[in-house]
Amino acid sequence: MATWLDRTDFARYALIPEELLPAWEGSEADDVIDEYVSALRMAGRDILTLGAEPLSVTWLAEPLTFARWCYADDDTGLLPAVHAATTADGWKDILSLELGGRYVLADAAYEAGRILGSLRDAQQPAEALRVELSPGRYRVQSLIIDPDPRTQFMLERLMPE
């Protein structure tokens, strides 16, 4: 089972470079709240945002894919469905951005103190996930998958260019 960030109150997540996290104020992504996938720049770094709907999200490192939970009884079939979707038609190119290094995925409206506290406190439900990426340019592609009639996930994968 994956570790899920259990829905954002503000309908957006940000993939924040770890070295920029101490300066994160929680208002940086305000201009992209209505976008499903977007990017912004901070201190010369690209920051990926996922938003528009307050869906739970997880990071799947091996397929370099963010999955957002639209509806499902559980996530037991998620990874096989994501792997099956890798060759599916229908992936939409959204944007390209430069990524690399250590990141934290968290609710974009949370301030640095709350995000850092969540990373330190393993006893509480996760409010942030660590993501590590090889340096390079990535194309972000989106696809909605329906592994069965009662299950739907929204995927955003990072494709090295």
Side-chain angles (χ1 to χ4, degrees):
M1 298 253 295
T3 300
W4 291 88
L5 300 184
D6 189 27
R7 286 194 257 151
T8 167
D9 294 332
F10 302 99
R12 66 189 179 280
Y13 296 96
L15 186 63
I16 308 163
E18 202 168 84
E19 72 270 11
L20 300 181
L21 189 54
W24 191 260
E25 296 178 357
S27 60
E28 290 82 352
D30 285 351
D31 292 339
V32 295
I33 189 170
D34 296 327
E35 302 292 328
Y36 278 92
V37 180
S38 188
L40 55 99
R41 290 195 55 85
M42 180 177 165
R45 299 288 309 269
D46 287 336
I47 297 171
L48 177 68
T49 64
L50 306 173
E53 292 187 50
L55 303 172
S56 297
V57 66
T58 192
W59 167 245
L60 305 170
E62 189 271 317
L64 296 177
T65 301
F66 297 97
R68 291 193 267 174
W69 189 307
C70 298
Y71 53 86
D73 291 334
D74 58 45
D75 68 350
T76 55
L78 174 63
L79 198 53
V82 170
H83 285 295
T86 59
T87 59
D89 292 335
W91 286 97
K92 295 180 186 162
D93 288 338
I94 305 298
L95 54 85
S96 290
L97 68 169
E98 194 77 29
L99 300 171
R102 297 178 62 148
Y103 291 84
V104 174
L105 179 69
D107 188 309
Y110 292 168
E111 294 179 357
R114 181 170 180 173
I115 297 169
L116 291 166
S118 173
L119 291 171
R120 286 190 294 268
D121 189 355
Q123 305 302 317
Q124 298 296 322
E127 289 188 340
L129 296 174
R130 292 191 185 279
V131 174
E132 192 151 343
L133 295 167
S134 297
R137 188 139 192 92
Y138 291 85
R139 183 173 65 248
V140 180
Q141 295 181 318
S142 290
L143 178 71
I144 294 175
I145 60 171
D146 300 285
D148 64 59
R150 296 178 17 200
T151 305
Q152 185 177 76
F153 294 98
M154 182 183 304
L155 307 178
E156 277 84 32
R157 71 177 174 185
L158 303 177
M159 299 291 293
E161 292 187 333

mmCIF file with all atom_site columns, all heavy atoms in Angstrom, residues 40-60:
data_model
loop_
_atom_site.group_PDB
_atom_site.id
_atom_site.type_symbol
_atom_site.label_atom_id
_atom_site.label_alt_id
_atom_site.label_comp_id
_atom_site.label_asym_id
_atom_site.label_entity_id
_atom_site.label_seq_id
_atom_site.pdbx_PDB_ins_code
_atom_site.Cartn_x
_atom_site.Cartn_y
_atom_site.Cartn_z
_atom_site.occupancy
_atom_site.B_iso_or_equiv
_atom_site.pdbx_formal_charge
_atom_site.auth_seq_id
_atom_site.auth_comp_id
_atom_site.auth_asym_id
_atom_site.auth_atom_id
_atom_site.pdbx_PDB_model_num
ATOM 1   N N   . LEU A 1 40 ? 5.691   26.658 -11.267 1.00 0.00 ? 40 LEU A N   1
ATOM 2   C CA  . LEU A 1 40 ? 6.070   28.024 -10.934 1.00 0.00 ? 40 LEU A CA  1
ATOM 3   C C   . LEU A 1 40 ? 7.563   28.011 -10.638 1.00 0.00 ? 40 LEU A C   1
ATOM 4   O O   . LEU A 1 40 ? 8.178   26.951 -10.527 1.00 0.00 ? 40 LEU A O   1
ATOM 5   C CB  . LEU A 1 40 ? 5.237   28.541 -9.752  1.00 0.00 ? 40 LEU A CB  1
ATOM 6   C CG  . LEU A 1 40 ? 5.257   27.717 -8.468  1.00 0.00 ? 40 LEU A CG  1
ATOM 7   C CD1 . LEU A 1 40 ? 6.222   28.303 -7.472  1.00 0.00 ? 40 LEU A CD1 1
ATOM 8   C CD2 . LEU A 1 40 ? 3.852   27.715 -7.878  1.00 0.00 ? 40 LEU A CD2 1
ATOM 9   N N   . ARG A 1 41 ? 8.139   29.189 -10.561 1.00 0.00 ? 41 ARG A N   1
ATOM 10  C CA  . ARG A 1 41 ? 9.574   29.298 -10.291 1.00 0.00 ? 41 ARG A CA  1
ATOM 11  C C   . ARG A 1 41 ? 9.792   30.033 -8.989  1.00 0.00 ? 41 ARG A C   1
ATOM 12  O O   . ARG A 1 41 ? 9.095   30.990 -8.680  1.00 0.00 ? 41 ARG A O   1
ATOM 13  C CB  . ARG A 1 41 ? 10.299  30.003 -11.429 1.00 0.00 ? 41 ARG A CB  1
ATOM 14  C CG  . ARG A 1 41 ? 10.335  29.108 -12.662 1.00 0.00 ? 41 ARG A CG  1
ATOM 15  C CD  . ARG A 1 41 ? 11.295  29.503 -13.752 1.00 0.00 ? 41 ARG A CD  1
ATOM 16  N NE  . ARG A 1 41 ? 12.685  29.673 -13.419 1.00 0.00 ? 41 ARG A NE  1
ATOM 17  C CZ  . ARG A 1 41 ? 13.595  28.686 -13.367 1.00 0.00 ? 41 ARG A CZ  1
ATOM 18  N NH1 . ARG A 1 41 ? 13.247  27.454 -13.543 1.00 0.00 ? 41 ARG A NH1 1
ATOM 19  N NH2 . ARG A 1 41 ? 14.852  28.958 -13.132 1.00 0.00 ? 41 ARG A NH2 1
ATOM 20  N N   . MET A 1 42 ? 10.773  29.529 -8.241  1.00 0.00 ? 42 MET A N   1
ATOM 21  C CA  . MET A 1 42 ? 11.145  30.173 -6.978  1.00 0.00 ? 42 MET A CA  1
ATOM 22  C C   . MET A 1 42 ? 12.651  30.031 -6.843  1.00 0.00 ? 42 MET A C   1
ATOM 23  O O   . MET A 1 42 ? 13.173  28.916 -6.936  1.00 0.00 ? 42 MET A O   1
ATOM 24  C CB  . MET A 1 42 ? 10.426  29.480 -5.823  1.00 0.00 ? 42 MET A CB  1
ATOM 25  C CG  . MET A 1 42 ? 10.723  30.062 -4.460  1.00 0.00 ? 42 MET A CG  1
ATOM 26  S SD  . MET A 1 42 ? 9.717   29.199 -3.210  1.00 0.00 ? 42 MET A SD  1
ATOM 27  C CE  . MET A 1 42 ? 10.570  29.726 -1.741  1.00 0.00 ? 42 MET A CE  1
ATOM 28  N N   . ALA A 1 43 ? 13.318  31.134 -6.670  1.00 0.00 ? 43 ALA A N   1
ATOM 29  C CA  . ALA A 1 43 ? 14.775  31.145 -6.496  1.00 0.00 ? 43 ALA A CA  1
ATOM 30  C C   . ALA A 1 43 ? 15.470  30.363 -7.606  1.00 0.00 ? 43 ALA A C   1
ATOM 31  O O   . ALA A 1 43 ? 16.415  29.614 -7.359  1.00 0.00 ? 43 ALA A O   1
ATOM 32  C CB  . ALA A 1 43 ? 15.152  30.596 -5.117  1.00 0.00 ? 43 ALA A CB  1
ATOM 33  N N   . GLY A 1 44 ? 14.976  30.518 -8.840  1.00 0.00 ? 44 GLY A N   1
ATOM 34  C CA  . GLY A 1 44 ? 15.598  29.875 -9.984  1.00 0.00 ? 44 GLY A CA  1
ATOM 35  C C   . GLY A 1 44 ? 15.301  28.394 -10.139 1.00 0.00 ? 44 GLY A C   1
ATOM 36  O O   . GLY A 1 44 ? 15.896  27.737 -10.990 1.00 0.00 ? 44 GLY A O   1
ATOM 37  N N   . ARG A 1 45 ? 14.388  27.851 -9.344  1.00 0.00 ? 45 ARG A N   1
ATOM 38  C CA  . ARG A 1 45 ? 14.039  26.419 -9.407  1.00 0.00 ? 45 ARG A CA  1
ATOM 39  C C   . ARG A 1 45 ? 12.595  26.256 -9.861  1.00 0.00 ? 45 ARG A C   1
ATOM 40  O O   . ARG A 1 45 ? 11.727  27.056 -9.492  1.00 0.00 ? 45 ARG A O   1
ATOM 41  C CB  . ARG A 1 45 ? 14.200  25.763 -8.031  1.00 0.00 ? 45 ARG A CB  1
ATOM 42  C CG  . ARG A 1 45 ? 15.578  25.783 -7.422  1.00 0.00 ? 45 ARG A CG  1
ATOM 43  C CD  . ARG A 1 45 ? 16.576  24.836 -8.089  1.00 0.00 ? 45 ARG A CD  1
ATOM 44  N NE  . ARG A 1 45 ? 16.112  23.466 -8.229  1.00 0.00 ? 45 ARG A NE  1
ATOM 45  C CZ  . ARG A 1 45 ? 16.301  22.498 -7.348  1.00 0.00 ? 45 ARG A CZ  1
ATOM 46  N NH1 . ARG A 1 45 ? 16.953  22.742 -6.229  1.00 0.00 ? 45 ARG A NH1 1
ATOM 47  N NH2 . ARG A 1 45 ? 15.846  21.276 -7.586  1.00 0.00 ? 45 ARG A NH2 1
ATOM 48  N N   . ASP A 1 46 ? 12.331  25.214 -10.644 1.00 0.00 ? 46 ASP A N   1
ATOM 49  C CA  . ASP A 1 46 ? 10.970  24.878 -11.037 1.00 0.00 ? 46 ASP A CA  1
ATOM 50  C C   . ASP A 1 46 ? 10.285  24.109 -9.912  1.00 0.00 ? 46 ASP A C   1
ATOM 51  O O   . ASP A 1 46 ? 10.892  23.245 -9.277  1.00 0.00 ? 46 ASP A O   1
ATOM 52  C CB  . ASP A 1 46 ? 10.957  24.016 -12.301 1.00 0.00 ? 46 ASP A CB  1
ATOM 53  C CG  . ASP A 1 46 ? 11.297  24.804 -13.553 1.00 0.00 ? 46 ASP A CG  1
ATOM 54  O OD1 . ASP A 1 46 ? 11.097  26.031 -13.565 1.00 0.00 ? 46 ASP A OD1 1
ATOM 55  O OD2 . ASP A 1 46 ? 11.761  24.185 -14.535 1.00 0.00 ? 46 ASP A OD2 1
ATOM 56  N N   . ILE A 1 47 ? 9.022   24.427 -9.693  1.00 0.00 ? 47 ILE A N   1
ATOM 57  C CA  . ILE A 1 47 ? 8.198   23.747 -8.693  1.00 0.00 ? 47 ILE A CA  1
ATOM 58  C C   . ILE A 1 47 ? 6.943   23.257 -9.398  1.00 0.00 ? 47 ILE A C   1
ATOM 59  O O   . ILE A 1 47 ? 6.192   24.055 -9.963  1.00 0.00 ? 47 ILE A O   1
ATOM 60  C CB  . ILE A 1 47 ? 7.844   24.703 -7.538  1.00 0.00 ? 47 ILE A CB  1
ATOM 61  C CG1 . ILE A 1 47 ? 9.115   25.129 -6.811  1.00 0.00 ? 47 ILE A CG1 1
ATOM 62  C CG2 . ILE A 1 47 ? 6.838   24.054 -6.595  1.00 0.00 ? 47 ILE A CG2 1
ATOM 63  C CD1 . ILE A 1 47 ? 8.917   26.221 -5.796  1.00 0.00 ? 47 ILE A CD1 1
ATOM 64  N N   . LEU A 1 48 ? 6.739   21.962 -9.379  1.00 0.00 ? 48 LEU A N   1
ATOM 65  C CA  . LEU A 1 48 ? 5.555   21.352 -9.978  1.00 0.00 ? 48 LEU A CA  1
ATOM 66  C C   . LEU A 1 48 ? 4.390   21.491 -9.006  1.00 0.00 ? 48 LEU A C   1
ATOM 67  O O   . LEU A 1 48 ? 4.555   21.280 -7.799  1.00 0.00 ? 48 LEU A O   1
ATOM 68  C CB  . LEU A 1 48 ? 5.822   19.863 -10.253 1.00 0.00 ? 48 LEU A CB  1
ATOM 69  C CG  . LEU A 1 48 ? 4.653   19.054 -10.818 1.00 0.00 ? 48 LEU A CG  1
ATOM 70  C CD1 . LEU A 1 48 ? 4.318   19.509 -12.229 1.00 0.00 ? 48 LEU A CD1 1
ATOM 71  C CD2 . LEU A 1 48 ? 4.999   17.567 -10.798 1.00 0.00 ? 48 LEU A CD2 1
ATOM 72  N N   . THR A 1 49 ? 3.210   21.840 -9.524  1.00 0.00 ? 49 THR A N   1
ATOM 73  C CA  . THR A 1 49 ? 2.016   21.890 -8.682  1.00 0.00 ? 49 THR A CA  1
ATOM 74  C C   . THR A 1 49 ? 0.945   20.991 -9.282  1.00 0.00 ? 49 THR A C   1
ATOM 75  O O   . THR A 1 49 ? 0.812   20.878 -10.506 1.00 0.00 ? 49 THR A O   1
ATOM 76  C CB  . THR A 1 49 ? 1.467   23.324 -8.527  1.00 0.00 ? 49 THR A CB  1
ATOM 77  O OG1 . THR A 1 49 ? 1.030   23.811 -9.798  1.00 0.00 ? 49 THR A OG1 1
ATOM 78  C CG2 . THR A 1 49 ? 2.504   24.257 -7.929  1.00 0.00 ? 49 THR A CG2 1
ATOM 79  N N   . LEU A 1 50 ? 0.203   20.355 -8.409  1.00 0.00 ? 50 LEU A N   1
ATOM 80  C CA  . LEU A 1 50 ? -0.937  19.525 -8.782  1.00 0.00 ? 50 LEU A CA  1
ATOM 81  C C   . LEU A 1 50 ? -2.129  20.100 -8.048  1.00 0.00 ? 50 LEU A C   1
ATOM 82  O O   . LEU A 1 50 ? -2.074  20.307 -6.836  1.00 0.00 ? 50 LEU A O   1
ATOM 83  C CB  . LEU A 1 50 ? -0.717  18.075 -8.339  1.00 0.00 ? 50 LEU A CB  1
ATOM 84  C CG  . LEU A 1 50 ? 0.573   17.414 -8.803  1.00 0.00 ? 50 LEU A CG  1
ATOM 85  C CD1 . LEU A 1 50 ? 0.724   16.049 -8.146  1.00 0.00 ? 50 LEU A CD1 1
ATOM 86  C CD2 . LEU A 1 50 ? 0.602   17.290 -10.314 1.00 0.00 ? 50 LEU A CD2 1
ATOM 87  N N   . GLY A 1 51 ? -3.205  20.400 -8.769  1.00 0.00 ? 51 GLY A N   1
ATOM 88  C CA  . GLY A 1 51 ? -4.305  21.058 -8.086  1.00 0.00 ? 51 GLY A CA  1
ATOM 89  C C   . GLY A 1 51 ? -5.652  20.858 -8.721  1.00 0.00 ? 51 GLY A C   1
ATOM 90  O O   . GLY A 1 51 ? -5.911  19.844 -9.344  1.00 0.00 ? 51 GLY A O   1
ATOM 91  N N   . ALA A 1 52 ? -6.497  21.853 -8.543  1.00 0.00 ? 52 ALA A N   1
ATOM 92  C CA  . ALA A 1 52 ? -7.849  21.973 -9.077  1.00 0.00 ? 52 ALA A CA  1
ATOM 93  C C   . ALA A 1 52 ? -8.876  21.153 -8.323  1.00 0.00 ? 52 ALA A C   1
ATOM 94  O O   . ALA A 1 52 ? -10.031 21.532 -8.285  1.00 0.00 ? 52 ALA A O   1
ATOM 95  C CB  . ALA A 1 52 ? -7.908  21.660 -10.563 1.00 0.00 ? 52 ALA A CB  1
ATOM 96  N N   . GLU A 1 53 ? -8.517  20.026 -7.734  1.00 0.00 ? 53 GLU A N   1
ATOM 97  C CA  . GLU A 1 53 ? -9.450  19.218 -6.958  1.00 0.00 ? 53 GLU A CA  1
ATOM 98  C C   . GLU A 1 53 ? -8.746  18.724 -5.701  1.00 0.00 ? 53 GLU A C   1
ATOM 99  O O   . GLU A 1 53 ? -7.570  18.356 -5.757  1.00 0.00 ? 53 GLU A O   1
ATOM 100 C CB  . GLU A 1 53 ? -9.930  18.014 -7.761  1.00 0.00 ? 53 GLU A CB  1
ATOM 101 C CG  . GLU A 1 53 ? -10.800 18.384 -8.941  1.00 0.00 ? 53 GLU A CG  1
ATOM 102 C CD  . GLU A 1 53 ? -11.393 17.174 -9.597  1.00 0.00 ? 53 GLU A CD  1
ATOM 103 O OE1 . GLU A 1 53 ? -11.965 16.325 -8.883  1.00 0.00 ? 53 GLU A OE1 1
ATOM 104 O OE2 . GLU A 1 53 ? -11.291 17.076 -10.823 1.00 0.00 ? 53 GLU A OE2 1
ATOM 105 N N   . PRO A 1 54 ? -9.448  18.680 -4.578  1.00 0.00 ? 54 PRO A N   1
ATOM 106 C CA  . PRO A 1 54 ? -8.824  18.235 -3.327  1.00 0.00 ? 54 PRO A CA  1
ATOM 107 C C   . PRO A 1 54 ? -8.784  16.703 -3.220  1.00 0.00 ? 54 PRO A C   1
ATOM 108 O O   . PRO A 1 54 ? -9.464  16.086 -2.422  1.00 0.00 ? 54 PRO A O   1
ATOM 109 C CB  . PRO A 1 54 ? -9.727  18.843 -2.258  1.00 0.00 ? 54 PRO A CB  1
ATOM 110 C CG  . PRO A 1 54 ? -11.065 18.916 -2.914  1.00 0.00 ? 54 PRO A CG  1
ATOM 111 C CD  . PRO A 1 54 ? -10.794 19.193 -4.365  1.00 0.00 ? 54 PRO A CD  1
ATOM 112 N N   . LEU A 1 55 ? -7.964  16.075 -4.068  1.00 0.00 ? 55 LEU A N   1
ATOM 113 C CA  . LEU A 1 55 ? -7.835  14.615 -4.101  1.00 0.00 ? 55 LEU A CA  1
ATOM 114 C C   . LEU A 1 55 ? -6.603  14.174 -3.325  1.00 0.00 ? 55 LEU A C   1
ATOM 115 O O   . LEU A 1 55 ? -5.575  14.839 -3.357  1.00 0.00 ? 55 LEU A O   1
ATOM 116 C CB  . LEU A 1 55 ? -7.713  14.133 -5.550  1.00 0.00 ? 55 LEU A CB  1
ATOM 117 C CG  . LEU A 1 55 ? -8.851  14.513 -6.507  1.00 0.00 ? 55 LEU A CG  1
ATOM 118 C CD1 . LEU A 1 55 ? -8.488  14.132 -7.930  1.00 0.00 ? 55 LEU A CD1 1
ATOM 119 C CD2 . LEU A 1 55 ? -10.146 13.848 -6.075  1.00 0.00 ? 55 LEU A CD2 1
ATOM 120 N N   . SER A 1 56 ? -6.697  13.023 -2.671  1.00 0.00 ? 56 SER A N   1
ATOM 121 C CA  . SER A 1 56 ? -5.513  12.442 -2.022  1.00 0.00 ? 56 SER A CA  1
ATOM 122 C C   . SER A 1 56 ? -4.480  12.125 -3.101  1.00 0.00 ? 56 SER A C   1
ATOM 123 O O   . SER A 1 56 ? -4.826  11.811 -4.247  1.00 0.00 ? 56 SER A O   1
ATOM 124 C CB  . SER A 1 56 ? -5.894  11.163 -1.282  1.00 0.00 ? 56 SER A CB  1
ATOM 125 O OG  . SER A 1 56 ? -6.808  11.442 -0.251  1.00 0.00 ? 56 SER A OG  1
ATOM 126 N N   . VAL A 1 57 ? -3.202  12.194 -2.730  1.00 0.00 ? 57 VAL A N   1
ATOM 127 C CA  . VAL A 1 57 ? -2.126  11.986 -3.704  1.00 0.00 ? 57 VAL A CA  1
ATOM 128 C C   . VAL A 1 57 ? -1.036  11.115 -3.088  1.00 0.00 ? 57 VAL A C   1
ATOM 129 O O   . VAL A 1 57 ? -0.829  11.110 -1.869  1.00 0.00 ? 57 VAL A O   1
ATOM 130 C CB  . VAL A 1 57 ? -1.537  13.347 -4.165  1.00 0.00 ? 57 VAL A CB  1
ATOM 131 C CG1 . VAL A 1 57 ? -0.824  14.066 -3.035  1.00 0.00 ? 57 VAL A CG1 1
ATOM 132 C CG2 . VAL A 1 57 ? -0.626  13.188 -5.379  1.00 0.00 ? 57 VAL A CG2 1
ATOM 133 N N   . THR A 1 58 ? -0.349  10.362 -3.950  1.00 0.00 ? 58 THR A N   1
ATOM 134 C CA  . THR A 1 58 ? 0.822   9.602  -3.541  1.00 0.00 ? 58 THR A CA  1
ATOM 135 C C   . THR A 1 58 ? 1.861   9.689  -4.636  1.00 0.00 ? 58 THR A C   1
ATOM 136 O O   . THR A 1 58 ? 1.571   10.081 -5.769  1.00 0.00 ? 58 THR A O   1
ATOM 137 C CB  . THR A 1 58 ? 0.473   8.123  -3.225  1.00 0.00 ? 58 THR A CB  1
ATOM 138 O OG1 . THR A 1 58 ? 1.597   7.517  -2.573  1.00 0.00 ? 58 THR A OG1 1
ATOM 139 C CG2 . THR A 1 58 ? 0.130   7.339  -4.479  1.00 0.00 ? 58 THR A CG2 1
ATOM 140 N N   . TRP A 1 59 ? 3.088   9.300  -4.284  1.00 0.00 ? 59 TRP A N   1
ATOM 141 C CA  . TRP A 1 59 ? 4.212   9.282  -5.217  1.00 0.00 ? 59 TRP A CA  1
ATOM 142 C C   . TRP A 1 59 ? 4.651   7.840  -5.399  1.00 0.00 ? 59 TRP A C   1
ATOM 143 O O   . TRP A 1 59 ? 4.883   7.125  -4.422  1.00 0.00 ? 59 TRP A O   1
ATOM 144 C CB  . TRP A 1 59 ? 5.358   10.122 -4.677  1.00 0.00 ? 59 TRP A CB  1
ATOM 145 C CG  . TRP A 1 59 ? 6.667   9.944  -5.381  1.00 0.00 ? 59 TRP A CG  1
ATOM 146 C CD1 . TRP A 1 59 ? 7.807   9.420  -4.855  1.00 0.00 ? 59 TRP A CD1 1
ATOM 147 C CD2 . TRP A 1 59 ? 6.986   10.308 -6.732  1.00 0.00 ? 59 TRP A CD2 1
ATOM 148 N NE1 . TRP A 1 59 ? 8.818   9.428  -5.781  1.00 0.00 ? 59 TRP A NE1 1
ATOM 149 C CE2 . TRP A 1 59 ? 8.336   9.969  -6.954  1.00 0.00 ? 59 TRP A CE2 1
ATOM 150 C CE3 . TRP A 1 59 ? 6.262   10.868 -7.782  1.00 0.00 ? 59 TRP A CE3 1
ATOM 151 C CZ2 . TRP A 1 59 ? 8.975   10.175 -8.174  1.00 0.00 ? 59 TRP A CZ2 1
ATOM 152 C CZ3 . TRP A 1 59 ? 6.895   11.078 -8.997  1.00 0.00 ? 59 TRP A CZ3 1
ATOM 153 C CH2 . TRP A 1 59 ? 8.234   10.739 -9.183  1.00 0.00 ? 59 TRP A CH2 1
ATOM 154 N N   . LEU A 1 60 ? 4.743   7.414  -6.648  1.00 0.00 ? 60 LEU A N   1
ATOM 155 C CA  . LEU A 1 60 ? 5.231   6.085  -6.992  1.00 0.00 ? 60 LEU A CA  1
ATOM 156 C C   . LEU A 1 60 ? 6.588   6.267  -7.650  1.00 0.00 ? 60 LEU A C   1
ATOM 157 O O   . LEU A 1 60 ? 6.680   6.690  -8.807  1.00 0.00 ? 60 LEU A O   1
ATOM 158 C CB  . LEU A 1 60 ? 4.239   5.385  -7.929  1.00 0.00 ? 60 LEU A CB  1
ATOM 159 C CG  . LEU A 1 60 ? 2.807   5.295  -7.398  1.00 0.00 ? 60 LEU A CG  1
ATOM 160 C CD1 . LEU A 1 60 ? 1.858   4.818  -8.495  1.00 0.00 ? 60 LEU A CD1 1
ATOM 161 C CD2 . LEU A 1 60 ? 2.739   4.398  -6.179  1.00 0.00 ? 60 LEU A CD2 1
#
